[in-house]
Amino acid sequence: MEQFKIRKDGFKEIRKSSLNKAIPISLIALFGGLSISYFNADEQQDVINIFPFLIPLMLGLLAFGLYRGINRQKEIFESYVITFNNNDIIREQYNTSTITISKTDIDKIIKNSNGSFTIKGNSIVDVIDIPSQIENYEKIEKSLSEIRQISTKNNEPFFQKYRLVLSIFSIGLMACVYISKDKIIVGVSGTILLVLLGYSFFEIQRNKSIDKKTKKGMWWLIVVIASIIGNIYFKIMGQ
Protein backbone atom coordinates (compact mmCIF):
# COMPACT_ATOMS: atom_id res chain seq x y z
CA MET A 1 0.00 0.00 0.00
CA GLU A 2 1.26 3.46 -0.91
CA GLN A 3 -0.03 6.81 0.31
CA PHE A 4 0.64 10.23 -1.19
CA LYS A 5 -0.10 13.69 0.19
CA ILE A 6 0.09 17.26 -1.05
CA ARG A 7 3.59 18.71 -1.30
CA LYS A 8 4.63 21.18 1.36
CA ASP A 9 3.49 24.68 0.35
CA GLY A 10 1.56 23.14 -2.53
CA PHE A 11 -1.45 25.32 -1.78
CA LYS A 12 0.54 28.45 -2.64
CA GLU A 13 0.49 27.33 -6.28
CA ILE A 14 -3.31 27.46 -6.46
CA ARG A 15 -4.05 30.26 -3.98
CA LYS A 16 -3.60 33.07 -6.51
CA SER A 17 -5.71 31.38 -9.17
CA SER A 18 -8.44 30.69 -6.60
CA LEU A 19 -8.56 34.36 -5.62
CA ASN A 20 -8.48 35.46 -9.26
CA LYS A 21 -11.62 33.40 -9.83
CA ALA A 22 -13.43 34.25 -6.60
CA ILE A 23 -12.88 38.01 -6.39
CA PRO A 24 -14.42 39.06 -9.75
CA ILE A 25 -17.45 36.82 -9.25
CA SER A 26 -17.97 38.11 -5.70
CA LEU A 27 -17.69 41.76 -6.78
CA ILE A 28 -20.10 41.26 -9.67
CA ALA A 29 -22.59 39.55 -7.35
CA LEU A 30 -22.23 42.36 -4.80
CA PHE A 31 -22.81 45.20 -7.23
CA GLY A 32 -25.53 43.22 -8.97
CA GLY A 33 -27.36 42.95 -5.66
CA LEU A 34 -26.91 46.65 -4.97
CA SER A 35 -28.25 47.50 -8.42
CA ILE A 36 -31.34 45.36 -7.90
CA SER A 37 -31.95 47.05 -4.55
CA TYR A 38 -31.60 50.49 -6.15
CA PHE A 39 -33.97 49.89 -9.05
CA ASN A 40 -36.58 48.22 -6.84
CA ALA A 41 -36.57 50.96 -4.21
CA ASP A 42 -39.55 53.30 -3.95
CA GLU A 43 -37.23 56.15 -3.01
CA GLN A 44 -34.06 55.64 -5.03
CA GLN A 45 -32.42 58.75 -3.60
CA ASP A 46 -32.62 57.21 -0.12
CA VAL A 47 -30.76 54.16 -1.42
CA ILE A 48 -28.06 56.36 -2.96
CA ASN A 49 -27.66 58.16 0.35
CA ILE A 50 -26.83 54.96 2.23
CA PHE A 51 -24.46 53.61 -0.45
CA PRO A 52 -21.40 55.45 1.01
CA PHE A 53 -21.94 53.49 4.22
CA LEU A 54 -23.31 50.27 2.77
CA ILE A 55 -20.68 49.67 0.07
CA PRO A 56 -17.62 49.78 2.41
CA LEU A 57 -19.48 47.53 4.85
CA MET A 58 -20.32 45.02 2.13
CA LEU A 59 -16.75 45.11 0.78
CA GLY A 60 -15.44 44.46 4.28
CA LEU A 61 -17.77 41.50 4.72
CA LEU A 62 -16.77 40.26 1.28
CA ALA A 63 -13.06 40.45 2.14
CA PHE A 64 -13.67 38.64 5.43
CA GLY A 65 -15.65 35.94 3.65
CA LEU A 66 -12.92 35.45 1.06
CA TYR A 67 -10.29 35.27 3.81
CA ARG A 68 -12.21 32.57 5.66
CA GLY A 69 -13.00 30.75 2.44
CA ILE A 70 -9.36 30.61 1.35
CA ASN A 71 -8.28 29.35 4.78
CA ARG A 72 -10.94 26.64 4.67
CA GLN A 73 -9.90 25.69 1.16
CA LYS A 74 -6.29 25.47 2.34
CA GLU A 75 -7.25 23.17 5.21
CA ILE A 76 -9.21 20.88 2.90
CA PHE A 77 -6.60 20.90 0.14
CA GLU A 78 -3.70 20.10 2.45
CA SER A 79 -5.61 17.21 4.04
CA TYR A 80 -5.71 15.41 0.68
CA VAL A 81 -4.46 11.81 0.82
CA ILE A 82 -4.57 9.27 -1.99
CA THR A 83 -3.91 5.60 -1.35
CA PHE A 84 -2.97 2.89 -3.82
CA ASN A 85 -3.44 -0.67 -2.58
CA ASN A 86 -3.59 -3.97 -4.41
CA ASN A 87 -7.22 -3.58 -5.42
CA ASP A 88 -8.34 0.02 -5.05
CA ILE A 89 -7.48 3.69 -5.33
CA ILE A 90 -8.81 5.63 -2.35
CA ARG A 91 -9.05 9.40 -1.98
CA GLU A 92 -9.55 10.89 1.49
CA GLN A 93 -9.97 14.54 2.39
CA TYR A 94 -11.14 16.55 5.39
CA ASN A 95 -14.93 16.85 5.73
CA THR A 96 -15.37 15.27 2.30
CA SER A 97 -16.79 11.90 1.32
CA THR A 98 -14.16 9.22 0.83
CA ILE A 99 -14.00 7.96 -2.75
CA THR A 100 -12.94 4.39 -3.47
CA ILE A 101 -12.57 3.08 -7.01
CA SER A 102 -11.58 -0.49 -7.71
CA LYS A 103 -8.73 -0.72 -10.20
CA THR A 104 -10.82 -3.12 -12.26
CA ASP A 105 -13.63 -0.54 -12.44
CA ILE A 106 -11.47 2.31 -13.75
CA ASP A 107 -12.92 3.42 -17.06
CA LYS A 108 -10.53 6.23 -17.93
CA ILE A 109 -7.48 8.08 -16.62
CA ILE A 110 -6.96 11.60 -17.95
CA LYS A 111 -4.00 13.94 -17.62
CA ASN A 112 -5.35 17.49 -17.70
CA SER A 113 -3.72 20.60 -19.12
CA ASN A 114 -2.77 21.83 -15.62
CA GLY A 115 -0.93 18.59 -14.84
CA SER A 116 -3.63 17.09 -12.63
CA PHE A 117 -5.08 13.63 -13.18
CA THR A 118 -8.71 12.57 -13.32
CA ILE A 119 -9.62 8.95 -12.61
CA LYS A 120 -13.10 7.96 -13.75
CA GLY A 121 -14.87 4.85 -12.53
CA ASN A 122 -17.90 3.06 -13.95
CA SER A 123 -20.30 5.43 -12.18
CA ILE A 124 -20.58 9.11 -13.13
CA VAL A 125 -20.12 10.08 -9.46
CA ASP A 126 -17.01 7.93 -8.98
CA VAL A 127 -14.34 10.42 -9.98
CA ILE A 128 -11.01 11.01 -8.26
CA ASP A 129 -9.03 14.14 -9.04
CA ILE A 130 -5.32 14.11 -8.26
CA PRO A 131 -3.89 17.66 -8.13
CA SER A 132 -0.55 18.39 -9.75
CA GLN A 133 0.72 19.54 -6.34
CA ILE A 134 0.80 15.92 -5.12
CA GLU A 135 4.10 14.58 -3.82
CA ASN A 136 6.05 12.03 -5.90
CA TYR A 137 4.22 13.16 -9.03
CA GLU A 138 6.27 11.04 -11.44
CA LYS A 139 5.77 7.92 -9.34
CA ILE A 140 2.00 8.43 -9.31
CA GLU A 141 1.94 8.95 -13.06
CA LYS A 142 3.89 5.72 -13.53
CA SER A 143 1.53 3.83 -11.21
CA LEU A 144 -1.51 5.15 -13.07
CA SER A 145 -0.06 4.24 -16.46
CA GLU A 146 0.40 0.67 -15.23
CA ILE A 147 -3.32 0.46 -14.42
CA ARG A 148 -4.66 1.96 -17.64
CA GLN A 149 -3.38 4.04 -20.52
CA ILE A 150 -3.42 7.74 -19.69
CA SER A 151 -5.19 10.00 -22.16
CA THR A 152 -4.51 13.72 -22.46
CA LYS A 153 -7.06 16.51 -22.20
CA ASN A 154 -5.96 19.99 -23.21
CA ASN A 155 -9.23 21.87 -22.74
CA GLU A 156 -10.89 22.86 -19.48
CA PRO A 157 -14.46 21.63 -18.84
CA PHE A 158 -17.03 24.06 -20.24
CA PHE A 159 -18.42 25.23 -16.89
CA GLN A 160 -14.93 25.83 -15.49
CA LYS A 161 -13.66 27.63 -18.55
CA TYR A 162 -16.63 29.98 -18.74
CA ARG A 163 -17.34 30.28 -15.02
CA LEU A 164 -17.05 34.07 -14.99
CA VAL A 165 -19.22 34.49 -18.09
CA LEU A 166 -21.88 32.17 -16.67
CA SER A 167 -21.81 34.05 -13.35
CA ILE A 168 -22.34 37.39 -15.12
CA PHE A 169 -25.10 35.81 -17.21
CA SER A 170 -26.83 34.44 -14.09
CA ILE A 171 -26.65 37.80 -12.31
CA GLY A 172 -28.04 39.47 -15.43
CA LEU A 173 -30.95 37.02 -15.42
CA MET A 174 -31.51 37.76 -11.74
CA ALA A 175 -31.63 41.48 -12.51
CA CYS A 176 -34.16 40.89 -15.28
CA VAL A 177 -36.39 38.89 -12.93
CA TYR A 178 -36.37 41.47 -10.15
CA ILE A 179 -36.13 44.73 -12.11
CA SER A 180 -38.03 44.21 -15.35
CA LYS A 181 -41.79 44.72 -15.48
CA ASP A 182 -42.15 42.99 -18.85
CA LYS A 183 -43.92 39.65 -18.34
CA ILE A 184 -42.11 37.90 -21.19
CA ILE A 185 -38.65 39.03 -20.04
CA VAL A 186 -39.44 38.05 -16.46
CA GLY A 187 -40.85 34.66 -17.49
CA VAL A 188 -38.04 33.70 -19.87
CA SER A 189 -35.22 35.01 -17.65
CA GLY A 190 -36.71 33.38 -14.58
CA THR A 191 -37.12 30.02 -16.27
CA ILE A 192 -33.52 29.97 -17.51
CA LEU A 193 -32.28 31.10 -14.10
CA LEU A 194 -34.24 28.39 -12.29
CA VAL A 195 -32.79 25.74 -14.61
CA LEU A 196 -29.23 27.00 -13.98
CA LEU A 197 -29.69 27.17 -10.21
CA GLY A 198 -31.38 23.77 -10.07
CA TYR A 199 -28.62 22.20 -12.15
CA SER A 200 -25.91 23.80 -9.97
CA PHE A 201 -27.59 22.57 -6.79
CA PHE A 202 -27.94 19.03 -8.13
CA GLU A 203 -24.35 18.85 -9.39
CA ILE A 204 -22.87 20.15 -6.14
CA GLN A 205 -24.89 17.77 -3.99
CA ARG A 206 -23.87 14.69 -5.95
CA ASN A 207 -20.21 15.65 -6.38
CA LYS A 208 -18.13 13.61 -3.93
CA SER A 209 -15.17 15.98 -4.30
CA ILE A 210 -17.01 18.91 -2.71
CA ASP A 211 -16.80 19.21 1.07
CA LYS A 212 -19.85 18.71 3.26
CA LYS A 213 -19.91 22.28 4.58
CA THR A 214 -20.17 23.67 1.06
CA LYS A 215 -22.95 21.22 0.24
CA LYS A 216 -24.82 22.15 3.40
CA GLY A 217 -24.42 25.84 2.64
CA MET A 218 -25.94 25.36 -0.81
CA TRP A 219 -29.36 24.68 0.72
CA TRP A 220 -29.85 28.46 0.83
CA LEU A 221 -30.47 28.14 -2.90
CA ILE A 222 -33.88 26.69 -2.06
CA VAL A 223 -34.82 30.04 -0.49
CA VAL A 224 -33.50 31.90 -3.54
CA ILE A 225 -35.39 29.60 -5.90
CA ALA A 226 -38.59 30.07 -3.89
CA SER A 227 -38.11 33.85 -4.02
CA ILE A 228 -37.60 33.77 -7.79
CA ILE A 229 -40.69 31.61 -8.31
CA GLY A 230 -42.75 33.94 -6.12
CA ASN A 231 -41.49 37.02 -7.94
CA ILE A 232 -42.25 35.49 -11.35
CA TYR A 233 -45.74 34.49 -10.22
CA PHE A 234 -46.70 37.90 -8.86
CA LYS A 235 -45.25 39.80 -11.82
CA ILE A 236 -46.95 37.60 -14.40
CA MET A 237 -50.22 36.87 -12.62
CA GLY A 238 -50.52 40.04 -10.59
CA GLN A 239 -50.58 42.50 -13.47
Side-chain angles (χ1 to χ4, degrees), residues 188-218:
V188 173
S189 300
T191 301
I192 297 172
L193 184 59
L194 288 172
V195 170
L196 289 175
L197 292 178
Y199 176 79
S200 298
F201 179 82
F202 174 75
E203 285 297 311
I204 287 173
Q205 293 302 320
R206 77 169 184 170
N207 192 328
K208 294 181 180 180
S209 295
I210 295 177
D211 66 281
K212 295 174 183 177
K213 186 173 182 179
T214 298
K215 289 184 177 184
K216 185 178 179 180
M218 288 302 293

Side-chain angles (χ1 to χ4, degrees), residues 19-185:
L19 286 172
N20 287 341
K21 293 174 183 177
I23 290 175
I25 293 173
S26 299
L27 288 174
I28 291 168
L30 171 61
F31 287 105
L34 292 173
S35 299
I36 291 172
S37 299
Y38 170 77
F39 286 108
N40 279 332
D42 293 328
E43 297 293 337
Q44 293 180 340
Q45 186 59 46
D46 291 341
V47 177
I48 293 176
N49 291 338
I50 66 170
F51 273 177
F53 306 98
L54 183 60
I55 291 176
L57 175 62
M58 297 302 293
L59 288 174
L61 292 173
L62 177 62
F64 178 70
L66 287 172
Y67 172 77
R68 290 192 61 185
I70 286 294
N71 284 339
R72 183 161 65 90
Q73 184 184 5
K74 181 176 184 290
E75 181 182 18
I76 294 171
F77 186 76
E78 292 182 342
S79 70
Y80 183 101
V81 177
I82 189 160
T83 303
F84 290 75
N85 60 32
N86 292 334
N87 301 312
D88 307 306
I89 298 177
I90 305 166
R91 191 234 61 192
E92 298 171 282
Q93 207 163 8
Y94 171 71
N95 203 31
T96 306
S97 300
T98 298
I99 305 175
T100 301
I101 302 179
S102 171
K103 291 180 179 179
T104 58
D105 290 337
I106 292 176
D107 180 59
K108 188 180 295 185
I109 300 176
I110 303 168
K111 185 174 184 179
N112 302 298
S113 57
N114 62 359
S116 64
F117 295 99
T118 300
I119 304 170
K120 295 186 176 183
N122 289 333
S123 171
I124 194 171
V125 297
D126 288 334
V127 178
I128 293 177
D129 293 309
I130 304 177
S132 59
Q133 292 77 25
I134 198 75
E135 63 184 5
N136 294 318
Y137 181 89
E138 292 78 11
K139 186 175 183 179
I140 286 181
E141 184 170 17
K142 183 176 183 298
S143 297
L144 291 174
S145 65
E146 291 172 352
I147 298 171
R148 183 172 288 275
Q149 183 178 356
I150 299 175
S151 58
T152 303
K153 187 175 183 180
N154 296 320
N155 298 323
E156 285 186 281
F158 178 83
F159 286 102
Q160 290 185 18
K161 186 175 182 179
Y162 297 103
R163 180 184 302 177
L164 180 60
V165 175
L166 289 171
S167 297
I168 295 172
F169 180 61
S170 298
I171 294 168
L173 291 174
M174 185 81 74
C176 289
V177 170
Y178 284 96
I179 295 174
S180 178
K181 292 180 172 57
D182 186 285
K183 293 183 179 182
I184 295 177
I185 292 176

